Amino acid sequence: MKNGELIKDYLVLTDPSGGAQGQWALAQKGPEVYFLKQFLSPKYPGLNGPGSAAVREKKLADCAQFEQRNRHLHSSLNSNQLGAGNLVVATEFFRVGTTYYKATNVVVGCGLESVRNLSPHQALVVIRTLLLSVRLLHKAGFVHGDLKPENVVIQETRPGIFVSKLIDFDDGYIVGLPPGRDQVVGDQRFYSPELLRYIKDDASTTGEDLTTASDMFALGLLIHFLLTDRLPSFDRERYSWAAEAAMHHELEIDGVKGPVKAWLEMLTKTDRHERPLIDDLLYFFLDFTAEELSDCLITLSGRKLAPKPKMIEPDTELPEKTSTLKSTIKKK
Amino acid sequence: MSIYNSNWSVGYAVDIVFVIDTTGSMRPVLDTVKHHALNFNDDLAMIMAQKDKTIGSLRVRVVAFRDYLDRTTDALRESPFFALPAQKNEFNNFIGSLSPDGGGDEPESGLEGLAAALLSPWETGSDKRRHLVVLFTDASAHPIERAAGAGLLPPGFPQTFSELYDIWEGGQSGGMEHSAKRLLIYAPDCEPWRGISDLWSNTLHFPSQAGNGLEDFTFAEILNQIASSV
């Protein structure tokens, strides 16, 4: 991918940048500008290309699997679904010659990594829109697999109105079907205990253990980070990562208090079966008020609440409330 | 392994093989690599930290190539892997011993250099690995079949471009893993580099001007790309 190159209908407008998984550039198609991602792998083998028949067969199989996964993700998540506007899905997935590409809408953040400097009203909207996006993925049977602040773009859609856009789930996977132990992509700061055990080749953990609950653990850490600008505390001399501390019951949700603390403690349970589902968490935050959130923020004590901005509420119907967890937690 | 095992840190082992064209015109990039070799580990760690990344263990190796068809005796020179920072002086000494010389007119033996890199004794332990090849040349490359046909290549080397491709894509090099490998090519926009970047997975080509010793790239740019690739 080069600046000025025409790829299918997309004119590349910028020098590409990127990392180990792919290259990104802004590209124009018609009047619209998109983020265009070039995947580095797999590459489609040409009929007259080099290599043995065996390698060609293997590459064709890899490409078929890659296409199926991306097309399934693309068809499962569309803009008509609840919260889809904040989940940055591909507008187009295609192959040109040997190489696969994905176009998404351009998401420009406001420069905030956390909601610490927003009002509780604004913070709640950011968290709710994040949870709606995660819910959409989970309902489609996908694990994001890389929930972290860098993949939550906080956007000021109108003056004083902030929402979160969830990006980069190219390395996500179907529930229970993660990539191989040495191929899993993610950020160790936000690993769940079962993901850590899976990577460490622990006999007690298989791919089937990697479910949406792994995302819920990461969400517990991520919400703490969003609210306080830091991860929960743990002894960094003894443990490298939050998941490791959680496995020793030494992860301390110390940046918040009250019901939010209780929820984050539930989310960061070592046993994945004890963690809330995304619906449970979403309903808690939908019912939670800015004043209640303000009461839970230890690090923001004494801060005056900003004037209540216009709230962005989900514009379509909400799912049925099926869980009793919300009332259980709120009673704590 | 108990879930209360005391060490759940995820080890990340990175192997980097620098494949360097040491023909006469490559003095600029060779001087740059020499200048930064001693502090390579620290420089990489610093830029990795800026990207919130850490490396558990780092090894580097150098494959220097010229032209088998011009002069067989010094067409290929290979170092062992050096563990950094422990062996940074040995790495620095090896880099320091390279001098830009010979090669005749292009093309050069870049594909033979690449083959030597792919056949490296890659790290196979640790929880996660990255096997990175960084190739620098300012010239096109001979078809590997020419030196192979003349019986000039070391034992075990691929004899055709197809075999070289199979090593990369099929992981037949005894340790280079499909998901771990990355190839960065700093070379002119000509064959075989253009074709390799199109056909080979996990490969990035940064086109340069032919014959100018890669003066188009600063060390900071190259280091940043290496850090992005690990």
Side-chain angles (χ1 to χ4, degrees), chain A residues 13-296:
Chain A
L13 301 175
T14 58
D15 289 332
S17 58
Q21 313 302 324
Q23 293 270 292
W24 289 92
L26 288 174
Q28 187 168 6
K29 178 185 178 183
E32 302 292 331
V33 175
Y34 297 87
F35 273 126
L36 188 64
K37 178 177 182 177
Q38 179 190 51
F39 291 91
L40 296 184
S41 179
K43 286 284 183 104
Y44 196 84
L47 259 181
N48 300 314
S52 63
V55 167
R56 179 180 153 74
E57 287 303 312
K58 178 183 175 296
K59 285 180 68 92
L60 284 173
D62 289 347
C63 288
Q65 190 178 34
F66 181 73
E67 286 184 23
Q68 184 185 30
R69 180 178 156 279
N70 275 279
R71 299 226 155 90
H72 177 53
L73 190 59
H74 190 55
S75 62
S76 300
L77 307 168
N78 63 68
S79 58
N80 296 323
Q81 290 174 288
L82 173 67
N86 295 315
L87 182 62
V88 183
V89 298
T91 55
E92 193 175 7
F93 169 75
F94 59 94
R95 174 172 66 83
V96 174
T98 60
T99 306
Y100 289 97
Y101 298 88
K102 179 187 84 168
T104 61
N105 289 321
V106 175
V107 179
V108 180
C110 63
L112 293 177
E113 259 215 334
S114 74
V115 296
R116 198 173 164 209
N117 293 321
L118 299 181
S119 74
H121 292 291
Q122 292 166 324
L124 266 181
V125 176
V126 169
I127 291 171
R128 286 170 181 164
T129 46
L130 167 64
L131 298 183
L132 282 166
S133 296
V134 174
R135 180 180 183 278
L136 194 66
L137 273 176
H138 286 189
K139 292 299 172 192
F142 279 94
V143 179
H144 184 287
D146 197 14
L147 290 171
K148 59 182 178 181
E150 292 84 348
N151 286 340
V152 178
V153 180
I154 300 175
Q155 198 173 42
E156 189 171 14
T157 53
R158 282 177 284 156
I161 305 295
F162 295 84
V163 301
S164 59
K165 300 282 184 180
L166 183 59
I167 63 170
D168 199 4
F169 40 93
D170 289 331
D171 299 307
Y173 48 87
I174 295 169
V175 170
L177 294 171
R181 294 177 189 268
D182 55 358
Q183 296 172 33
V184 172
V185 173
D187 188 316
Q188 296 178 6
R189 295 172 300 163
F190 293 87
Y191 277 179
S192 65
E194 60 270 29
L195 178 56
L196 195 53
R197 288 198 294 268
Y198 179 70
I199 290 171
K200 294 292 286 185
D201 206 9
D202 179 65
S204 72
T205 308
T206 68
E208 289 179 6
D209 294 304
L210 291 180
T211 67
T212 54
S214 187
D215 273 352
M216 298 311 291
F217 184 93
L219 261 183
L221 302 178
L222 179 56
I223 291 171
H224 192 282
F225 184 93
L226 287 171
L227 291 172
T228 66
D229 222 7
R230 65 173 176 83
L231 288 173
S233 294
F234 58 90
D235 185 346
R236 290 178 186 270
E237 302 259 312
R238 294 184 65 191
Y239 308 118
S240 300
W241 316 111
E244 197 182 356
M247 288 159 72
H248 292 81
H249 308 289
E250 292 189 24
L251 183 67
E252 196 180 346
I253 306 293
D254 57 345
V256 290
K257 59 185 178 181
V260 173
K261 178 184 169 84
W263 274 94
L264 299 194
E265 284 175 344
M266 293 277 283
L267 288 166
T268 52
K269 290 271 190 188
T270 304
D271 183 348
R272 67 181 173 90
H273 299 100
E274 294 181 17
R275 295 176 208 146
L277 301 174
I278 188 66
D279 279 357
D280 304 321
L281 189 63
L282 176 60
Y283 283 120
F284 167 71
F285 276 106
L286 286 175
D287 283 353
F288 212 49
T289 66
E291 288 72 20
E292 287 172 317
L293 178 61
S294 184
D295 289 341
C296 293

Side-chain angles (χ1 to χ4, degrees), chain A residues 2 19-20 23 40-41 43 50-52 55 59 98 182-184 191 196-197 200 202 240 244 247 249, chain B residues 1 3-4 8-10 127-130 162 165-166 169 177 179 182 189 197-198 201-202 204 228:
Chain A
K2 294 174 196 158
Q23 293 270 292
L40 296 184
S41 179
K43 286 284 183 104
S52 63
V55 167
K59 285 180 68 92
T98 60
D182 55 358
Q183 296 172 33
V184 172
Y191 277 179
L196 195 53
R197 288 198 294 268
K200 294 292 286 185
D202 179 65
S240 300
E244 197 182 356
M247 288 159 72
H249 308 289
Chain B
M1 190 185 290
I3 64 166
Y4 297 110
W8 287 95
S9 296
V10 175
D127 301 307
K128 289 189 145 194
R129 294 161 292 281
R130 174 69 73 224
S162 248
Y165 172 87
D166 274 6
E169 295 294 350
E177 295 165 42
S179 60
R182 295 290 182 277
D189 190 11
S197 70
D198 183 44
S201 59
N202 294 315
L204 284 172
S228 295

Side-chain angles (χ1 to χ4, degrees), chain B residues 131-145:
Chain B
H131 298 157
L132 178 64
V133 176
V134 188
L135 184 145
F136 301 101
T137 184
D138 66 350
S140 57
H142 294 294
I144 200 167
E145 288 83 354

